Every structure is written in structure tokens, then in C-alpha cells.
Amino acid sequence: MIPREMLRKIRRIQIRTSHQVDELLAGNWHSAFKGRGIEFEEVRPYQVGDDVRAIDWNVTARSDQPFVKLFREERELAVHLLVDLSRSQNLGTHKQTKRDLVAELGALLAMSAIKNNDKVGLTLFTDKIEKTVPARKGSRHVLRLIRELLYCEPIGTGTRLTQGIEYFHRTAARRSVAFLISDFQDEGYEKTLKVAARKHDIIPVVVQDRREAEMPNVGLVRLQDAETGQMVLLDTASRTARARYAELHRQQAAERDRLFSRLRLSPIHLETGGDVVEPLRRYFHQRETRR
């Protein structure tokens, strides 16, 4: 039984993201993603400038004037949200946790897809597959996805991106759009990601908290790795310690982004407490421009 407060939270996210999709993302999703191909729509009389290769000779033969075939892009997509639920996603030092940010993002993506008549599926993973929801349509389906994003209690604690990517690649029957949502605190997933990206349109979404990049001067603190439980003592009053902390994060982020560049993947970067809609809209516009 889902607690009443959780149900209210699910409903609030649905209402807020529905308005954001209507007001800010209308049309962007449709123009950013290609369908599976083109399909026949109708015929009309030939006009000067039409491609003669489009002439429908059967209809033309039955008429006293030439007709051409018109086609439209087949728009229905299969969209999958591949979401990392490892314990590091519980970090949040600015208004919200990374997991809350992921839930809002997932709701926005799912709502955008549904409003474009696309199917949406969900795979939640840690160092194992935690939950899968088959791709379907409809507002009730979006509510279920939001519920799982907020309410699923993972068994695993660590991050194995390979698990989520391999499962999706193995189970997706046709080419799909996949949003790979994680803080990417993992390694050794390049080969798996490369293989999956050959078949699918994979979009990495990097979620992070500002304290992962810089540590404030708050004296001596004890830090615990959420995924391994390892404890370390850090003197944040030391400029050298803070600089090393920031440099380590910078190196890790640079290596991750170089990997995306090698695979020709364009990531979306989001931060807790920050805007979600504008980075998505900007990304959709960039995709449309590249097309």
C-alpha cells in the first residue's frame, strides 16, 4: 500500500510536469526525434515541380491526369528510461536529492513522449536489474512510471551501468530512444555502451550535486561512500584538500565526457536544485538543428 503522502507527491509531479510539457516543450519533442521511417498517406494531382519519381502510375492510368504519392514520417517511437537507483542518488545538498531530480526528469520525458503518442518503458538498476516496466502509452502509465521512480526500494547499492545497458540492448526488439540517467560513478562500461549505441539512439543524462564538484570550508568532516560504506576523514579547512577534491572530480568528469565524445553521444547535464526544462528544450533544439 502506497502512503497517502507519496500519492500526493506523485500527483504533484504529474500536474507540474504536464504544465511544463504543454507550455515549454510543445513541438520540441516531435521535431527532435525521428520516427521509424515513412509511410504512405494519400495521393494528389501532380503539380509543377513535383518529383516525377513520386508519380503513382496505377492511379494515373485510371485517371486523365497524373497523380503523385504523398508520404509522412512515421512518428511513433519506443522510448526507454534507463535509470540508475544506486545509493549515490540519495545525495542532495541543494533543495532536492538526485533521485528527486531523476523522478522529475523521468516524468517530463514520459509526459513528452505520451503527448506525442509514443510508448515509454522503464528499467531501474543498481548493480543489478531492480525493476522493469514494459513500454506503453497513456496518462495512467505515466503515473505508474512516476510511482516506480519515487517509490521503488532497490536491493543493490552500487552502480553497474553495464547491467542496465545490456538488459535494454538484449530486450529491445527494435531501434529505440534510450535516456541513460545516472551520475556515472562507474567504469568499464564503454564497450557495452558502444555496442548498444550502434543500434539505438542513446542519450546520456548526467545528474549531479554541486558538492560532488566542490567542498565548502566547514572544518573536519567524516564522509561515507554511499555505495561501498567506506569512511574517510577530510579536512575541508585545508585549501590543498579542497583543491585535490575538486581536481579529482574534474578528472573523472573529463574522462566521462571524452568517452561520450568518442562514441558520438551528446549528453545532457543536470544539477540538483537547478532547472530541468531549459536544458531539455535546449537539447531538443540542438537535435532538430543537426537534423
Side-chain angles (χ1 to χ4, degrees):
M1 184 73 177
I2 299 178
R4 184 174 299 177
E5 177 57 33
M6 181 64 72
L7 290 173
R8 285 197 290 265
K9 188 174 183 179
I10 293 172
R11 186 62 179 165
R12 284 197 300 269
I13 289 179
Q14 186 211 21
I15 293 172
R16 183 171 67 250
T17 54
S18 180
H19 285 285
Q20 289 172 329
V21 169
D22 288 338
E23 296 174 8
L24 300 174
L25 296 179
N28 291 70
W29 178 279
H30 181 91
S31 57
F33 297 101
K34 294 182 179 180
R36 288 180 290 172
I38 59 174
E39 60 182 10
F40 172 74
E41 184 170 38
E42 62 177 344
V43 295
R44 64 160 171 77
Y46 176 86
Q47 298 175 3
V48 175
D50 285 341
D51 190 339
V52 295
R53 293 173 296 182
I55 293 177
D56 188 323
W57 295 107
N58 290 329
V59 176
T60 298
R62 295 195 299 267
S63 310
D64 57 0
Q65 61 176 320
F67 280 78
V68 294
K69 296 178 180 178
L70 296 182
F71 297 85
R72 64 179 174 85
E73 188 175 3
E74 189 179 3
R75 290 300 320 172
E76 182 179 300
L77 297 174
V79 179
H80 290 266
L81 307 180
L82 311 180
V83 180
D84 167 17
L85 284 190
S86 58
R87 284 187 181 174
S88 62
Q89 298 292 61
N90 294 327
L91 174 65
T93 63
H94 191 64
K95 296 183 181 179
Q96 65 180 170
T97 65
K98 289 191 285 185
R99 180 156 182 184
D100 286 337
L101 172 61
V102 167
E104 183 177 352
L105 169 66
L108 264 173
L109 294 173
M111 197 75 69
S112 298
I114 292 299
K115 286 183 177 291
N116 197 53
N117 200 37
D118 296 328
K119 295 180 179 180
V120 189
L122 175 68
T123 297
L124 304 175
F125 66 93
T126 53
D127 47 16
K128 60 186 68 179
I129 301 300
E130 300 285 349
K131 185 85 174 183
T132 62
V133 180
R136 292 194 176 92
K137 301 180 183 180
S139 57
R140 290 178 64 87
H141 182 62
V142 172
L143 283 175
R144 182 187 177 187
L145 298 185
I146 298 173
R147 183 189 70 195
E148 297 294 351
L149 285 166
L150 287 171
Y151 197 65
C152 177
E153 292 292 341
I155 298 173
T157 60
T159 304
R160 283 197 64 196
L161 290 165
T162 299
Q163 283 278 17
I165 299 168
E166 282 185 343
Y167 180 85
F168 162 69
H169 184 59
R170 186 173 67 250
T171 57
R174 63 181 178 88
R175 178 176 171 82
S176 306
V177 174
F179 290 87
L180 179 58
I181 306 169
S182 174
D183 51 19
F184 290 87
Q185 295 183 14
D186 192 18
E187 56 186 19
Y189 58 89
E190 178 174 0
K191 182 178 179 180
T192 304
L193 184 57
K194 181 178 181 180
V195 171
R198 288 173 182 166
K199 177 181 178 183
H200 303 285
D201 185 356
I202 296 183
I203 303 165
V205 183
V206 182
V207 294
Q208 52 196 351
D209 186 272
R210 66 180 59 179
R211 292 308 174 209
E212 293 174 311
E214 57 181 31
M215 183 63 68
N217 183 353
V218 292
L220 199 63
V221 296
R222 189 181 299 274
L223 303 177
Q224 181 180 28
D225 188 308
E227 298 187 6
T228 66
Q230 181 179 358
M231 302 288 293
V232 296
L233 201 62
L234 180 65
D235 182 10
T236 63
S238 166
R239 290 185 179 180
T240 301
R242 295 200 307 272
R244 287 177 178 174
Y245 180 91
E247 177 61 18
L248 177 61
H249 177 272
R250 189 198 66 77
Q251 291 175 359
Q252 292 172 339
E255 177 57 32
R256 178 199 64 217
D257 290 340
R258 282 194 294 268
L259 166 60
F260 293 154
S261 179
R262 287 196 300 271
L263 300 183
R264 298 184 179 181
L265 301 178
S266 299
I268 302 171
H269 294 269
L270 300 176
E271 187 175 274
T272 55
D275 187 15
V276 178
V277 174
E278 185 55 33
L280 285 179
R281 183 166 58 178
R282 187 165 57 247
Y283 178 81
F284 293 160
H285 177 70
Q286 290 171 350
R287 281 184 64 106
E288 181 184 2
T289 302
R290 287 198 300 268
R291 289 184 61 189

